[in-house]
């Protein structure tokens, strides 16, 4: 295969810097200018699933907050869009930071050895500058929200910074991922209502349980390499008992989301509440489908199931949106 960096006509042609588990034929590898591809890969723009998983709890929080107070404003449209842009930026910054802290580990794992830092596409200093730049742009979006949401957004940097180190000291690094990835449910509820309330907290913990579900599936791809280099994960901890644990996380996710819905939506709004609860149940049905398809030693299937959580997480958003007009 010819390296496009050596061909004058190949600015947007595929090159050899592709990351092993990127989506085949993604736009970064096939259309983006060659010089910026390593940075886009640091931000995981060649695999958008992580952005979706960060974004969806934000949209849960926004739509449930609107169901809670019945107040739909033009500002909510900006919050909706701003969350999308912010999710791309903060997921990119978080992944870049993760790659900086894991640069020595990634070179020892087959799935991650082709990432930009261990493969030599970018230096650690260049990656750090890229992470800071993404955070700064995300901060410009954050300051368009109200003060309580801004403070929550700043506080969110702590779990983002800690997460890459979690697998070194705990068997439950997925908990730290859940803390970071579902923060948007708290932030966006607060951006809409001006205050943090119990339904948002319950929705946040529902998202954390969901993260434990999908990221345990994801972590099973690396369990052999992780064992060799001493990296901890729930996949290694649960091992053959993983389906039982996933069933527990599924039940907990539905229970917490259902309780958040019941407490958020006024008692008199029966159709609205029913539609929202059906949305939570439909997400649960999708998670059950994943469980039925699970094969712990089939990495291709594990990756497909992990990626299918975009659809699982979109289901409540769609039902909550429909409930707004019930």
């Amino acid at each position: 295969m010819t390296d496009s960096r050596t061909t004058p006509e190949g600015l947007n042609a595929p090159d050899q810097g592709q990351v092993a588990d990127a989506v085949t034929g993604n736009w970064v590898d096939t259309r983006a200018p060659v010089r910026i591809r390593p940075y886009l890969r640091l931000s995981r723009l060649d695999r958008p699933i992580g952005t979706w998983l960060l974004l969806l709890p934000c949209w849960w929080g926004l739509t449930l907050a609107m169901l809670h107070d019945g107040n739909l404003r033009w500002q909510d449209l900006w919050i909706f869009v701003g969350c999308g842009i912010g999710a791309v930026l903060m997921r990119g910054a978080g992944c870049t930071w993760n790659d900086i802290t894991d640069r020595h580990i990634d070179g020892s794992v087959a799935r991650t050895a082709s990432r930009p830092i261990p493969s030599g596409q970018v230096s650690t200093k260049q990656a750090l500058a890229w992470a800071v730049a993404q955070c700064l742009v995300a901060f410009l979006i954050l300051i368009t929200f109200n003060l309580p949401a801004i403070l929550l957004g700043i506080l969110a940097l702590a779990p983002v910074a800690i997460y890459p180190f979690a697998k070194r000291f705990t068997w439950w690094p997925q908990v730290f991922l859940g803390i970071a990835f579902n923060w948007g449910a708290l932030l966006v509820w607060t951006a809409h209502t001006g205050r943090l309330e119990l339904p948002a907290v319950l929705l946040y913990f529902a998202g954390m349980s969901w993260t434990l579900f999908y990221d345990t599936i994801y972590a099973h791809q690396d369990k052999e390499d992780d064992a060799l280099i001493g990296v901890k994960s729930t996949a290694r901890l649960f091992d053959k008992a993983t389906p039982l644990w996933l069933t527990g996380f599924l039940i907990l996710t539905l229970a917490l989301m259902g309780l958040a819905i019941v407490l958020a939506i006024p008692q008199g709004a029966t159709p609205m509440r029913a539609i929202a609860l059906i949305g939570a149940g439909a997400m649960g049905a999708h998670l059950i489908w994943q469980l039925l398809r699970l094969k712990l030693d089939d990495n291709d299937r594990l990756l497909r199931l992990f990626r299918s959580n975009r659809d699982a997480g979109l289901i409540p958003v769609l039902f909550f949106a429909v409930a707004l007009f019930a």
Side-chain angles (χ1 to χ4, degrees):
M1 180 178 178
T2 301
D3 190 333
S4 65
R5 286 167 290 191
T6 65
T7 58
E9 72 280 8
L11 182 65
N12 293 321
D15 72 331
Q16 293 178 334
Q18 299 172 14
V19 178
D21 60 349
V23 176
T24 302
N26 69 83
W27 71 276
V28 173
D29 292 339
T30 58
R31 296 184 181 87
V34 172
R35 290 179 183 176
I36 66 170
R37 286 181 190 176
Y39 297 96
L40 300 180
R41 290 171 183 140
L42 280 173
S43 298
R44 307 291 195 271
L45 292 180
D46 53 352
R47 70 206 69 183
I49 178 60
T51 301
W52 279 107
L53 296 175
L54 182 63
L55 173 60
L56 290 169
C58 299
W59 285 353
W60 293 355
L62 177 60
T63 50
L64 191 60
M66 290 191 287
L67 288 170
H68 174 63
D69 63 13
N71 187 8
L72 283 70
R73 304 162 303 177
W74 283 109
Q75 173 67 8
D76 294 322
L77 180 59
W78 164 241
I79 294 173
F80 183 88
V81 174
C83 286
I85 301 170
V88 172
L89 291 166
M90 287 310 299
R91 191 248 181 158
C95 288
T96 303
W97 172 244
N98 184 81
D99 282 9
I100 292 169
T101 60
D102 283 357
R103 60 190 182 277
H104 302 302
I105 294 175
D106 284 348
S108 303
V109 177
R111 186 178 58 83
T112 58
S114 55
R115 286 179 177 175
I117 298 177
S119 64
Q121 296 177 56
V122 296
S123 70
T124 303
K125 288 183 179 179
Q126 289 172 323
L128 183 59
W130 179 239
V132 171
Q134 291 173 96
C135 286
L136 290 174
V137 178
F139 182 70
L140 294 177
I141 296 173
L142 179 65
I143 59 177
T144 66
F145 297 164
N146 55 38
L147 180 59
I150 293 171
L151 295 176
L152 278 171
I154 295 172
L155 188 60
L157 291 175
V160 171
I162 293 170
Y163 166 66
F165 302 100
K167 56 183 170 290
R168 294 166 170 83
F169 62 81
T170 178
W171 286 100
W172 295 83
Q174 280 72 24
V175 170
F176 288 85
L177 181 66
I179 291 171
F181 255 55
N182 295 281
W183 200 270
L186 304 175
L187 191 156
V188 178
W189 175 287
T190 305
H192 173 84
T193 65
R195 58 192 178 276
L196 185 58
E197 297 173 285
L198 181 58
V201 175
L202 292 170
L203 195 64
Y204 173 64
F205 283 112
M208 286 181 62
S209 181
W210 177 45
T211 301
L212 280 161
F213 180 94
Y214 66 66
D215 206 61
T216 297
I217 293 174
Y218 184 79
H220 267 279
Q221 298 174 90
D222 297 332
K223 56 184 180 290
E224 293 179 2
D225 287 331
D226 287 348
L228 288 172
I229 60 179
V231 169
K232 299 176 175 68
S233 72
T234 50
R236 288 188 61 206
L237 178 65
F238 302 156
D239 196 26
K240 300 296 184 182
T242 291
L244 181 61
W245 280 94
L246 294 184
T247 300
F249 295 141
L250 188 163
I251 293 169
L252 185 59
T253 300
L254 295 184
L256 289 168
M257 183 177 286
L259 185 56
I261 291 168
V262 169
L263 293 179
I265 300 176
Q267 286 188 351
T270 303
M272 185 182 293
R273 182 183 284 184
I275 292 170
L277 287 171
I278 291 170
M283 177 182 175
H286 194 291
L287 299 185
I288 292 171
W289 172 82
Q290 292 182 48
L291 269 178
L292 295 175
R293 298 274 298 166
L294 187 66
K295 288 188 177 181
L296 297 179
D297 296 318
D298 184 340
N299 284 357
D300 289 339
R301 179 170 294 195
L302 290 169
L303 185 58
R304 288 196 300 272
L305 290 176
F306 167 73
R307 287 174 175 168
S308 75
N309 280 280
R310 180 203 64 176
D311 298 337
L314 270 172
I315 291 170
V317 176
L318 297 175
F319 276 83
F320 290 177
V322 171
L324 284 169
F325 302 97

